[in-house]
């Protein structure tokens, strides 16, 4: 019987560490319960049951290349160039993304901010796509690149500069912010990085310098051109801020031409007002030396009339009035004068 293979295996199982474990298990199984006296195994000696509650899978956040991440872990970077009131197309963009998918990924870089530990990425270009994803509580397709502030700025300009739905004022504020923050050492360096001439950069920076009081008077800053904004900034610098604010409606509807600013107000200041005579649509102000100033209802200069000792009258029209004259209108005026002789 000693040569029986089964007996040899059983004997081996009863020896060594394995035999000791089996013997202890049999002893616990045969011992009576301390509480009830039963022969059932003690539950206190058994290992606890493992927690099998389902857990959410760990989210992987890529650190380079292309990926897809929750929009909630992203935020626009500090030089994002589109104001909040110029994102009117995000709802239509969200519908397009839902129907056709996100065609172009947003450009992002890694972000470590102790004040906002939940933020992992800064959106450099593609803020509208990020907003659409946020509105849909969804994910955002991204391209993750390692960029310095200057490199990020250049990348943003490369994507956004030619977008026609970005207003001149938004562009002006972008450039002004980059210069004021010290991102670029000079206006020339900023112009080169932005692929603009020095003169165009001057126009934009001037536009961005308009004070809050003037901006408040503008009905729609998004529709104002950079050249008009620059001219208004020069007028404010020369001391005509009150006139700019007062006549903003006339400026916006074209009654005061851009080329007439600020001469239209400078000429009106050259003469002191003396005993104005009222007319239905025009104020006539009598000046010394037989000079009369004609102003409109809001005080803007229309023309000056000077009467010489010989009786000859000289009219000097403001730029805003002369810009409206055509040969046909002049001919009608002459015909009217001839008919009264």
């Amino acid at each position: 019987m000693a040569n029986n293979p089964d007996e040899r295996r059983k004997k081996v199982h009863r020896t060594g560490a394995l035999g000791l474990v089996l013997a202890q298990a049999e002893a616990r199984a045969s011992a009576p319960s301390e509480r009830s006296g039963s022969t059932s195994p003690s539950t206190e000696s058994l290992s606890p049951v493992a927690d099998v509650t389902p857990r959410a899978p760990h989210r992987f956040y890529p650190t380079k290349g292309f990926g897809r991440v929750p929009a909630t872990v992203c935020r626009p970077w500090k030089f994002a160039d589109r104001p909040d009131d110029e994102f009117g197309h995000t709802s239509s963009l969200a519908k397009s993304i839902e129907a056709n998918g996100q065609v172009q990924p947003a450009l992002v870089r890694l972000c470590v901010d102790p004040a906002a530990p939940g933020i992992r990425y800064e959106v450099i270009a593609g803020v509208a796509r990020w907003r659409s994803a946020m509105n849909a509580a969804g994910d955002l397709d991204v391209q993750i690149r390692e960029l310095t502030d200057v490199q990020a700025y250049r990348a943003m300009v490369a994507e956004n500069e030619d977008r026609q739905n970005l207003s001149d004022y938004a562009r002006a504020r972008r450039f002004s912010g980059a210069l004021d923050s010290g991102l670029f050492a000079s206006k020339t360096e900023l112009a080169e990085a932005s692929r603009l001439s020095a003169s165009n950069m001057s126009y934009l920076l001037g536009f961005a310098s308009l004070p809050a009081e003037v901006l408040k008077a503008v009905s729609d800053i998004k529709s104002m051109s950079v050249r008009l904004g620059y001219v208004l900034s020069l007028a404010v610098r020369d001391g005509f801020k009150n006139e700019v604010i007062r006549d903003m409606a006339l400026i916006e509807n074209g009654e005061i031409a851009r080329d007439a600013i600020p001469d239209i107000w400078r000429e009106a200041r050259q003469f002191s007002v003396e005993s104005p005579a009222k007319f239905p649509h025009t104020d006539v102000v009598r000046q010394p030396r037989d000079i009369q100033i004609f102003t409109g209802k809001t005080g803007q200069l229309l023309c000056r009339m000077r009467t010489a000792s010989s009786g000859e009258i000289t009219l000097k029209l403001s730029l805003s009035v002369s810009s409206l004259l055509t040969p046909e209108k002049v001919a009608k005026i002459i015909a009217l004068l001839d008919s009264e002789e």
Side-chain angles (χ1 to χ4, degrees):
M1 296 298 291
N3 294 328
N4 188 321
D6 293 335
E7 291 293 331
R8 288 199 300 272
R9 282 194 294 271
K10 185 182 298 183
K11 184 177 181 179
V12 170
H13 289 168
R14 293 294 181 179
T15 63
L18 178 60
L20 180 62
V21 171
L22 292 173
Q24 292 176 347
E26 289 177 355
R28 286 195 300 268
S30 61
S33 172
E34 294 181 359
R35 295 180 180 179
S36 62
S38 65
T39 60
S40 61
S42 173
T43 58
E44 295 181 359
S45 64
L46 298 179
S47 300
V49 178
D51 184 7
V52 295
T53 303
R55 298 179 183 274
H58 178 70
R59 184 68 185 253
F60 172 71
Y61 295 100
T63 58
K64 62 180 179 179
F66 294 89
R68 187 173 179 83
V69 300
T72 53
V73 301
C74 305
R75 72 179 180 193
W77 79 313
K78 58 185 177 182
F79 294 114
D81 57 2
R82 191 186 298 274
D84 290 342
D85 60 352
E86 293 193 22
F87 282 98
H89 65 298
T90 53
S91 58
S92 60
L93 179 59
K95 293 179 181 178
S96 174
I97 292 175
E98 182 179 359
N100 308 310
Q102 186 179 327
V103 177
Q104 184 177 4
L107 177 62
V108 304
R109 67 178 181 181
L110 297 179
C111 173
V112 178
D113 184 357
I119 299 299
R120 294 175 177 267
Y121 306 96
E122 282 186 329
V123 181
I124 307 301
V127 176
R129 279 158 271 169
W130 167 76
R131 281 177 172 259
S132 298
M134 286 289 289
N135 291 339
D139 290 346
L140 180 69
D141 291 333
V142 297
Q143 180 187 9
I144 308 161
R145 292 174 56 186
E146 184 177 346
L147 300 168
T148 65
D149 280 349
V150 173
Q151 290 171 335
Y153 180 86
R154 291 177 183 270
M156 179 186 69
V157 170
E159 173 167 312
N160 293 347
E161 185 61 23
D162 295 331
R163 292 185 180 273
Q164 297 187 9
N165 55 358
L166 188 65
S167 71
D168 284 344
Y169 184 69
R171 295 172 61 235
R173 292 298 302 168
R174 173 222 293 168
F175 296 129
S176 177
L179 190 62
D180 293 344
S181 67
L183 185 59
F184 296 95
S186 66
K187 182 175 69 174
T188 301
E189 184 180 330
L190 173 61
E192 291 175 353
S194 305
R195 301 180 298 176
L196 293 173
S197 66
S199 60
N200 283 336
M201 183 57 67
S202 295
Y203 295 148
L204 287 158
L205 294 178
F207 190 6
S209 71
L210 286 175
E213 304 94 312
V214 174
L215 295 176
K216 187 177 180 179
V218 179
S219 63
D220 184 11
I221 193 64
K222 298 188 295 295
S223 64
M224 182 173 287
S225 70
V226 62
R227 294 297 299 273
L228 177 56
Y230 174 69
V231 168
L232 293 179
S233 72
L234 295 181
V236 171
R237 184 195 65 184
D238 292 345
F240 295 100
K241 182 172 74 172
N242 291 337
E243 287 85 348
V244 170
I245 295 173
R246 182 195 67 196
D247 294 342
M248 184 58 70
L250 300 176
I251 295 170
E252 289 187 290
N253 64 27
E255 290 187 44
I256 295 181
R258 186 186 71 197
D259 293 341
I261 301 171
D263 290 342
I264 188 172
W265 303 310
R266 182 177 289 113
E267 291 179 359
R269 286 185 179 183
Q270 289 177 352
F271 305 95
S272 58
V273 177
E274 294 183 0
S275 60
K278 298 295 183 179
F279 287 83
H281 299 290
T282 306
D283 293 342
V284 180
V285 182
R286 176 69 61 182
Q287 300 294 334
R289 296 173 297 183
D290 296 321
I291 297 176
Q292 289 178 291
I293 300 295
F294 291 80
T295 60
K297 290 182 178 180
T298 60
Q300 75 274 22
L301 177 68
L302 298 178
C303 71
R304 286 188 296 170
M305 184 177 73
R306 180 168 185 169
T307 305
S309 57
S310 62
E312 182 181 30
I313 295 178
T314 302
L315 286 176
K316 183 175 181 181
L317 304 178
S318 68
L319 292 176
S320 60
V321 173
S322 61
S323 63
L324 300 176
L325 289 180
T326 62
E328 293 78 10
K329 290 181 180 179
V330 173
K332 289 182 179 180
I333 294 173
I334 294 175
L336 178 62
L337 294 175
D338 287 340
S339 66
E340 294 183 353
E341 289 184 355

